[in-house]
Amino acid sequence: MNNSELKKLFNSMTLSEKVGQMGQVTPDFFSNEGEITGPVAEMKLNSGELYSIGSILGTHKPEQVIDIQKKYLENNRLGIPLMFMADVIHGYETIFPIPLALASTFDTNLVKKVAQLSSKEAVGNGIHVTFSPMADLVRDPRWGRVLESNGEDPHLSSKLTQAYVEGYQGKSLLHKNTLASCVKHFLGYGSSEAGRDYNTVSVSDLELYQNHLPAFKAAIEAQVKLVMTSFNTVKGIPSSANKWLLGNVLRKELGFDGIIISDWGAIQELINHRIAEDSKEATRLAVEAGVDIDMMTSSYIKHLGDFIEDGEINIETINQAVWRILTLKNELGLFEDPYRGLMKLENLDQNLDNIRKELEPITRSVASDSLVLLKNEGILPIKTKSTKVGLIGPKAQTKDLLGAWSWIGDKSEVISIYEGLQEQFERLTLSTIDDTDSISKQDLVIVALGENSDESGEAASRSSIQLQQEQVELLKKVYEINQNVVVLLINGRPIDLTNIVNYCKAILECWFPGTSGGAAIADVLCGRVNPSAKLPMSFPASVGQIPIYYNYLSTGRPKNESNKDEKYISKYLDIANDPLYPFGFGLSFSNFECGKVEFSSGSLSKDAPIKITVTIKNLSNISGKTVVQLYIEDKIAEVARPVRELKGFTKVSVEPLGCEEVVFEITDKDLMYIHSNLKESADKGSFNVYIGFDSLAPKVGEFVLV
Ligand code: NOJ
């Protein structure tokens, strides 16, 4: 439809038809034939309201989309199609590793590919919009939703967020297999106090701008189509009612002109936040703040019309919102093809089957690229197929490897660890702890531990981030019998591993690895794949260190080697300040070293960036990939600055005994930071540069910004 046709359609809409577009409900609302019950009854939507609703979230099957769209179009006066949205977070039916695992790859191309493939399958199921990526910055592993994030670093998260958006949306939404992307949750949700989900957030403006905004900015620069509000308050006001946040920051400063959608029920929750007395007031606050779509409450549908008729809200506010919604429907080509991406019923299954067949092998290589080797005392890889391998532990045979947000994923399709290992090892024995004799006779014993999928994700906060005591006991017992222990961890968050790290020779962090998880794990254990992933979040040495992150601010009393025994410095009495495993850390079977580092110049200016070239050597005879990381420290600034910040990362493959050059370009943009006036700029002065394979990388030089 061209713009003037769209305008014409828009002009023919009644007020209630416009208001309808701003509502969103679940498919259950369309499943009531005859008597009205269930959610429709609870929300008291009449059929006029239902058949002018703008979008649906969370369908399960393509047939359901076809049915609902058909029924809807038969009843919608103007034939405006519904838009279908869903949480396609790490795949639709074929499940890739969780986002935190994908972040561990530090590989933007891989993340983009995953987003493209997830789109393909979701589109084949009739979905138009995904509620992904989650760009929330996270520093507290007690918060279950770290699983959905890109980790603790703004730079890494920005790059990955951009990759997701580009992957989902492609070059144009008119192209086949693309989804519109909704970045979430705006803003600050990752700082939920004490890691408790839906809790209060209290962060400074400086902190919001410096750390929480960049990934959203990256999404907007990548032309993301929707932004979802967060459940939390920002400066005391819940995001869905926050004029400053949505109006000033998101619309004006970041220039976002797409759709703002509330999170599920968030408008109604303004009543619980006690800033609105009833749903009418909640409606006014949300619409005035700039929320275009009300997800899963009837607030907008029931009250917006009255506000307009009473002249309390300007019709322009509604017009703008509806125009944005119609524009997206048009960009998706829904007016021409309301069944976008869907095959004729008779070809539907075959089409989805073909997509699954295409995706499944890729889930295996993506998963093996996301496994982080945390410890290895020469026990891995297991070189020969005939090695006697024992397997034990609660995760040994489980199919619960998909993790949260895999609601369409089919667990029965999952390759368990046991099944994966069977493919690689001829003498694999599944043991229980009573098989003392058998455990003692194995060349090595793999102990598979971790969380269940409902222990991380939304509404899955934990106050302790250690493994369950029974699992720790099991490990210790195995270790008593046979010390050649390899621990596999299945989990959605950083775990405090201090109580297990000394009872094994190797630890492989497997996250929730997805559909082909077991096969991917076996690929790494047998050395078919050389691990290359790195931690996107610090692994604390104790829950008491949380929040813990590598880019902490310089304090007035920093701890260092020479003062560590003094009293009045910033430290704990009982443990070190350092995490058990730092951000960016992950081992390889190869042995990499940073060789010569060359600076193209000792000074940098706005028009003259500098290049830093580093030679990466592989000292082993195993080829491998690693992530070369560049950190910068601003020596003197207007406000207290992080001790170092990631400013560049490159994944590089190096042949056995070979070397590769990696070039980083540093521009003045990389040196910009948020000043006390909340403006971003770079200060002249000197900067230290650190390059290496994790956030403890050594200093390699310095330069001056002139
Ligand atoms: C609530 C979650 O916070 C959000 O991330 C998700 O997209 C919506 N529910 C829809 O499922």
Side-chain angles (χ1 to χ4, degrees):
M1 203 179 263
N2 64 34
N3 218 39
S4 66
E5 288 165 333
L6 194 66
K7 262 264 130 61
K8 202 160 147 216
L9 174 72
F10 176 80
N11 289 335
S12 63
M13 291 172 84
T14 62
L15 176 59
S16 58
E17 282 167 342
K18 286 182 180 169
V19 166
Q21 288 298 317
M22 297 172 71
Q24 178 171 90
V25 294
T26 56
D28 325 355
F29 284 74
F30 289 85
S31 56
N32 294 289
E33 300 290 351
E35 202 191 346
I36 307 250
T37 54
V40 190
E42 265 164 48
M43 271 205 201
K44 297 194 179 61
L45 295 189
N46 60 40
S47 102
E49 288 165 337
L50 191 59
Y51 289 108
S52 40
I53 209 99
S55 51
I56 301 289
L57 83 153
T59 45
H60 283 77
K61 287 192 167 101
E63 292 85 353
Q64 197 186 11
V65 174
I66 296 173
D67 264 8
I68 295 175
Q69 190 73 293
K70 189 161 170 285
K71 209 191 254 182
Y72 182 88
L73 288 173
E74 284 163 5
N75 288 281
N76 181 278
R77 186 179 71 92
L78 295 169
I80 301 177
L82 280 167
M83 186 151 57
F84 288 85
M85 309 198 185
D87 289 285
V88 184
I89 307 296
H90 49 118
Y92 188 76
E93 189 174 355
T94 312
I95 303 296
F96 291 94
I98 53 167
L100 194 62
L102 295 175
S104 310
T105 66
F106 278 61
D107 187 341
T108 50
N109 292 330
L110 175 141
V111 165
K112 192 166 166 180
K113 180 91 193 154
V114 167
Q116 269 162 0
L117 295 171
S118 308
S119 287
K120 186 169 184 179
E121 197 173 34
V123 168
N125 280 279
I127 304 301
H128 307 137
V129 175
T130 174
F131 297 131
S132 168
M134 187 180 103
D136 295 304
L137 186 93
V138 296
R139 289 170 163 182
D140 190 335
R142 291 171 300 183
W143 193 48
R145 302 198 77 170
V146 302
L147 168 147
E148 299 166 59
S149 79
N150 297 319
E152 73 186 36
D153 180 66
H155 179 76
L156 176 64
S157 183
S158 300
K159 295 288 178 205
L160 297 177
T161 297
Q162 178 191 345
Y164 274 109
V165 176
E166 289 175 356
Y168 288 132
Q169 297 192 161
K171 291 213 160 55
S172 156
L173 290 181
L174 286 176
H175 290 171
K176 243 175 98 189
N177 299 332
T178 53
L179 286 174
S181 160
C182 173
V183 68
K184 63 192 187 184
H185 306 86
F186 201 73
L187 189 68
Y189 188 22
S191 289
S192 289
E193 277 184 3
R196 205 179 75 215
D197 208 1
Y198 317 123
N199 203 5
T200 303
V201 165
S202 179
V203 291
S204 69
D205 286 357
L206 199 67
E207 172 69 15
L208 276 179
Y209 274 79
Q210 185 66 51
N211 294 322
H212 293 263
L213 266 192
F216 287 90
K217 205 168 160 196
I220 292 164
E221 280 166 9
Q223 311 287 322
V224 74
K225 297 291 173 188
L226 301 92
V227 172
M228 188 187 294
T229 62
S230 54
F231 286 125
N232 55 277
T233 53
V234 173
K235 308 216 282 190
I237 306 204
S239 300
S240 304
N242 198 316
K243 279 189 189 170
W244 171 78
L245 187 67
L246 304 183
N248 287 33
V249 181
L250 183 56
R251 290 271 187 234
K252 286 207 192 95
E253 292 174 22
L254 299 190
F256 178 64
D257 61 1
I259 296 170
I260 301 180
I261 182 168
S262 79
D263 201 344
W264 176 291
I267 296 186
Q268 198 69 16
E269 288 171 19
L270 299 178
I271 303 169
N272 288 345
H273 278 289
R274 294 171 48 205
I275 65 158
E277 204 176 338
D278 51 24
S279 76
K280 187 164 182 196
E281 197 178 352
T283 299
R284 186 176 57 74
L285 291 174
V287 81
E288 283 181 352
V291 177
D292 300 318
I293 298 182
D294 170 6
M295 187 196 292
M296 262 315 274
T297 88
S298 56
S299 309
Y300 274 16
I301 294 171
K302 293 297 179 194
H303 305 297
L304 270 181
D306 293 346
F307 278 125
I308 302 292
E309 273 160 9
D310 298 346
E312 284 185 55
I313 288 175
N314 188 335
I315 182 75
E316 253 326 288
T317 314
I318 277 149
N319 283 345
Q320 281 176 10
V322 176
W323 181 250
R324 286 186 197 112
I325 296 163
L326 294 188
T327 303
L328 182 57
K329 290 186 176 183
N330 198 30
E331 286 177 334
L332 285 159
L334 291 179
F335 291 104
E336 286 75 20
D337 181 9
Y339 302 97
R340 180 185 190 268
L342 290 163
M343 294 283 148
K344 295 218 169 60
L345 274 180
E346 59 272 23
N347 300 333
L348 221 107
D349 286 348
Q350 187 58 49
N351 177 47
L352 295 176
D353 221 42
N354 292 344
I355 298 180
R356 270 195 299 274
K357 287 204 181 98
E358 178 193 343
L359 266 57
E360 252 167 45
I362 306 176
T363 59
R364 178 167 174 171
S365 62
V366 170
S368 58
D369 271 358
S370 72
L371 309 181
V372 190
L373 184 62
L374 294 177
K375 175 174 177 175
N376 187 17
E377 287 174 353
I379 193 169
L380 294 178
I382 309 165
K383 286 191 198 93
T384 47
K385 263 187 158 326
S386 56
T387 308
K388 281 185 274 163
V389 176
L391 175 65
I392 190 169
K395 302 296 163 196
Q397 283 183 288
T398 184
K399 297 259 178 185
D400 186 21
L401 298 182
L402 300 181
W405 296 109
S406 53
W407 44 296
I408 309 283
D410 183 356
K411 272 195 193 161
S412 69
E413 297 283 314
V414 168
I415 303 174
S416 71
I417 293 174
Y418 180 54
E419 288 160 345
L421 293 183
Q422 270 178 325
E423 227 187 273
Q424 302 297 345
F425 303 106
E426 288 156 358
R427 296 164 84 188
L428 176 71
T429 311
L430 195 60
S431 308
T432 68
I433 196 59
D434 302 325
D435 306 331
T436 320
D437 194 38
S438 156
I439 293 174
S440 68
K441 288 190 179 129
Q442 303 303 323
D443 294 327
L444 62 92
V445 186
I446 296 172
V447 186
L449 306 172
E451 297 183 307
N452 297 331
S453 57
D454 57 5
E455 288 177 292
S456 46
E458 186 179 349
S461 298
R462 288 175 54 190
S463 66
S464 155
I465 52 161
Q466 291 193 330
L467 293 172
Q468 280 170 12
Q469 200 46 36
E470 304 90 85
Q471 296 195 16
V472 179
E473 294 309 324
L474 172 77
L475 174 65
K476 288 183 178 168
K477 279 188 194 145
V478 173
Y479 187 77
E480 251 171 47
I481 307 167
N482 186 334
Q483 301 209 338
N484 288 327
V485 168
V486 174
V487 169
L488 301 179
L489 292 172
I490 302 296
N491 49 282
R493 54 157 58 80
I495 302 270
D496 169 3
L497 299 172
T498 42
N499 57 353
I500 70 154
V501 68
N502 295 328
Y503 298 95
C504 57
K505 291 200 170 147
I507 302 178
L508 186 65
E509 173 53 77
C510 307
W511 310 111
F512 282 99
T515 305
S516 307
I521 292 169
D523 283 341
V524 168
L525 293 178
C526 75
R528 267 191 55 192
V529 174
N530 187 354
S532 59
K534 306 279 180 179
L535 294 178
M537 281 185 85
S538 311
F539 269 45
S542 155
V543 75
Q545 293 178 323
I546 297 172
I548 185 164
Y549 42 94
Y550 82 91
N551 46 353
Y552 56 88
L553 300 187
S554 310
T555 71
R557 296 185 177 195
K559 183 181 170 197
N560 54 42
E561 259 317 294
S562 58
N563 71 6
K564 65 181 193 301
D565 297 324
E566 288 171 23
K567 182 166 172 63
Y568 296 100
I569 56 164
S570 182
K571 66 170 189 182
Y572 296 104
L573 292 178
D574 50 347
I575 51 166
N577 289 358
D578 309 320
L580 185 62
Y581 296 112
F583 172 85
F585 174 80
L587 301 169
S588 162
F589 298 147
S590 310
N591 180 10
F592 294 108
E593 191 187 86
C594 271
K596 208 167 60 185
V597 181
E598 275 174 344
F599 286 59
S600 62
S601 163
S603 67
L604 178 162
S605 70
K606 193 160 178 286
D607 313 309
I610 56 169
K611 285 203 169 112
I612 302 176
T613 307
V614 54
T615 305
I616 305 301
K617 295 187 202 161
N618 181 352
L619 304 178
S620 70
N621 44 27
I622 308 171
S623 76
K625 291 185 282 190
T626 188
V627 181
V628 189
Q629 302 161 44
L630 178 141
Y631 297 84
I632 290 186
E633 177 192 1
D634 189 347
K635 287 201 201 164
I636 306 288
E638 188 231 358
V639 296
R641 300 281 297 125
V643 290
R644 61 176 65 186
E645 295 171 289
L646 185 71
K647 290 293 177 185
F649 58 90
T650 302
K651 198 146 202 176
V652 60
S653 291
V654 194
E655 290 303 310
L657 304 174
C659 58
E660 287 292 328
E661 266 189 4
V662 171
V663 183
F664 294 100
E665 189 179 84
I666 307 295
T667 70
D668 67 322
K669 281 217 169 67
D670 295 311
L671 309 177
M672 291 187 174
Y673 70 93
I674 305 293
H675 288 63
S676 56
N677 61 2
L678 300 186
K679 298 275 178 272
E680 195 176 33
S681 61
D683 302 341
K684 294 187 170 134
S686 52
F687 297 82
N688 286 332
V689 179
Y690 304 82
I691 295 182
F693 305 109
D694 59 44
S695 53
L696 300 178
K699 183 175 164 185
V700 294
E702 46 186 281
F703 63 84
V704 181
L705 175 68
V706 291

